[in-house]
Amino acid sequence: MMRAVNQWLRAAAFAALVLATAAWSARAQAPEPSSPLAPLAFLAGHCWKGPFPDGKRHDEHCFEWFYDGKFLRDRHVVTGDDQGYGGETIYYWEPAARQVQYIYFDVTGGVSRGSAQPDDDALRFPEERYVGAGGEEEVYRSVWRPARDDAYDVVTETLLDGKWVEAWRIHMQRQER
């Protein structure tokens, strides 16, 4: 009996240590409130999921700080179709340009670079040029607007024949881990 109690106490102490370490690590990695990446902080440590307008596919993004909050990683996956799609975005502060920038890689070999510009009510992603693995190009811009503490709305437009047209609109809801 005493042996079982000792094992339980050791397991409980280990679990408490793991939880304390995880909490400390999460706090240590978040940027300072004055950091240029602070406007992205509401995304970090959470996964967000929303349906595409067709209702068949869903986009899920999971955000995490790394290197003590100097960078924010966004891993995403699109589910609901046979193709499967995903990618990873790294957000960072670019001192020479004095703005938050990102680079995006997708599973097909495509890449895009752009900037994230926070304003009073949204994150704006001005024109970005996506280059696919075969060299094909597409031009996008997006706005992410917080809807509540646990949601945000995404509107993405694409440039077609010299005109901006809506490509998709998604309501992203924070997911429980």
Side-chain angles (χ1 to χ4, degrees):
M1 175 73 162
M2 186 57 91
R3 184 179 209 170
V5 169
N6 283 339
Q7 287 176 335
W8 182 86
L9 286 173
R10 273 187 284 210
F14 179 73
L17 177 63
V18 168
L19 289 173
T21 301
W24 176 82
S25 177
R27 279 196 309 272
Q29 289 188 358
E32 295 293 322
S34 62
S35 165
L37 295 180
L40 303 173
F42 78 97
L43 299 163
H46 305 289
C47 292
W48 306 79
K49 187 174 183 177
F52 278 92
D54 65 10
K56 298 175 184 174
R57 297 173 301 138
H58 287 79
D59 197 9
E60 183 171 16
H61 292 253
C62 295
F63 295 85
E64 64 183 350
W65 295 116
F66 65 107
Y67 296 135
D68 292 324
K70 293 177 181 70
F71 302 91
L72 182 65
R73 174 181 290 123
D74 167 13
R75 292 182 177 143
H76 92 103
V77 62
V78 175
T79 57
D81 62 14
D82 293 338
Q83 296 174 328
Y85 179 78
E88 184 168 327
T89 305
I90 305 296
Y91 295 92
Y92 61 96
W93 174 249
E94 174 53 59
R98 302 196 46 75
Q99 62 184 197
V100 174
Q101 293 188 353
Y102 64 87
I103 184 166
Y104 171 73
F105 307 94
D106 73 21
V107 298
T108 69
V111 177
S112 64
R113 296 173 189 268
S115 64
Q117 301 173 350
D119 66 22
D120 292 337
D121 69 338
L123 286 171
R124 298 187 186 283
F125 299 84
E127 186 175 309
E128 74 170 83
R129 192 165 305 280
Y130 168 84
V131 180
E136 68 281 6
E137 291 189 11
E138 298 173 33
V139 180
Y140 294 100
R141 67 182 183 189
S142 296
V143 175
W144 296 6
R145 185 167 279 114
R148 298 184 305 270
D149 288 343
D150 65 346
Y152 65 96
D153 294 313
V154 175
V155 177
T156 299
E157 297 176 319
T158 187
L159 190 60
L160 291 176
D161 299 323
K163 295 182 182 177
W164 288 104
V165 297
E166 187 171 298
W168 60 81
R169 182 180 295 259
I170 301 176
H171 179 75
M172 301 297 284
Q173 185 71 44
R174 187 170 58 213
Q175 305 295 295
E176 298 298 322
R177 283 193 176 206

